Amino acid sequence: MSQTPDQTHSDSAAAVDPAGSTPPGAAASSEASGDVSSERIALIGASGNAGSALLAELSARGYAVTAIARRPERIARLPGVTPVAGDASDVGALSRSIAGHAAVISALRFEGSEPTALIGAVRAAGVPRYLVVGGAASLTAPDGTRVFDSPGFPEAYRTEAAGGIAFLDALRTVDDIDWTFVSPSAEFVEGPRTGRFRIGGDQLLADTAGRSWIGFADHAIAMVDVLARKTHLRERITVGY
């Protein structure tokens, strides 16, 4: 059962429904659910901002992680982590690196990434689960406009944003892999691991002050929750405060 859109998450809750879901507005807790795992996860783009936060969260929860980056010396040395040199543009080598894992998580920039090639690598490797750190440009603003099409969308981000939209469009044609596209809010920034955030669907989230934002660490909690609880299969979700 999936979490309800626009649901509040609190890392300090005392109990979680065994099915991994909570009623609307209720709090959920990663640690309370006991979702420590020995599953092997491949993380592509493990040295970037989002990737590093995901790596820390996966390691803390007991996953064995194959951490893939072009420069593996930049990957944090954490318990259960095996750094591996890899280039996402080398689809054959990437497929061999991710084979035998329970899931793949991609934390790559979209500019320069080829979605059909990456999806193909996951498919060729026989990995059944694929999670992608998404973008916010494909979300819908409160006035119903797609964020990418909103007046004043920063020109400097347009190429990267268009790549994220193309990636989501490609995933939505896939019915043989259990994918999830996890969009951040408009601002995706450094910040403390609070464990407090909301999960939404296709609409951009904003806090009570009107700011749309999420920290890398809290976004990572949400992604690993989705992985652990096997929720939001073949869906896009968004995370925000």
Side-chain angles (χ1 to χ4, degrees):
M1 183 184 298
S2 298
Q3 290 178 305
T4 304
D6 200 19
Q7 175 194 319
T8 299
H9 173 113
S10 172
D11 219 26
S12 60
V16 174
D17 183 282
S21 63
T22 59
S29 169
S30 301
E31 282 71 17
S33 67
D35 60 351
V36 173
S37 175
S38 59
E39 286 184 324
R40 293 179 65 217
I41 307 300
L43 174 60
I44 308 170
S47 63
N49 289 325
S52 294
L54 280 161
L55 188 65
E57 190 68 27
L58 289 163
S59 174
R61 298 207 206 176
Y63 287 91
V65 186
T66 300
I68 302 169
R70 288 184 179 179
R71 299 185 63 178
E73 68 274 12
R74 294 184 175 179
I75 297 171
R77 268 44 178 178
L78 296 170
V81 172
T82 302
V84 172
D87 189 333
S89 64
D90 188 341
V91 176
L94 181 63
S95 183
R96 290 189 292 273
S97 294
I98 63 179
H101 291 77
V104 174
I105 301 177
S106 176
L108 295 168
R109 288 180 57 84
F110 294 115
E111 187 174 358
S113 296
E114 175 49 57
T116 55
L118 289 167
I119 294 166
V122 175
R123 182 179 286 119
V127 179
R129 189 78 169 101
Y130 186 31
L131 291 86
V132 178
V133 176
S138 57
L139 294 166
T140 303
D143 65 359
T145 303
R146 188 173 63 167
V147 171
F148 185 79
D149 301 320
S150 298
F153 186 88
E155 194 64 34
Y157 299 141
R158 193 163 288 278
T159 300
E160 174 70 9
I165 292 169
F167 211 113
L168 177 58
D169 287 345
L171 284 172
R172 283 175 165 161
T173 70
V174 173
D175 60 8
D176 60 337
I177 298 170
D178 287 333
W179 57 268
T180 308
F181 190 89
V182 186
S183 291
S185 292
E187 296 178 46
F188 198 18
V189 296
E190 291 285 357
R193 184 186 186 280
T194 71
R196 293 184 174 274
F197 50 81
R198 291 181 294 149
I199 301 293
D202 289 323
Q203 188 165 9
L204 189 72
L205 297 177
D207 64 16
T208 55
R211 182 183 179 189
S212 177
W213 66 299
I214 189 68
F216 296 122
D218 283 338
H219 184 273
I221 294 173
M223 284 200 76
V224 180
D225 282 352
V226 168
L227 171 69
R229 297 169 184 169
K230 298 178 173 61
T231 55
H232 300 294
L233 304 182
R234 299 178 195 167
E235 292 181 5
R236 185 266 289 285
I237 62 170
T238 186
V239 188
Y241 295 125

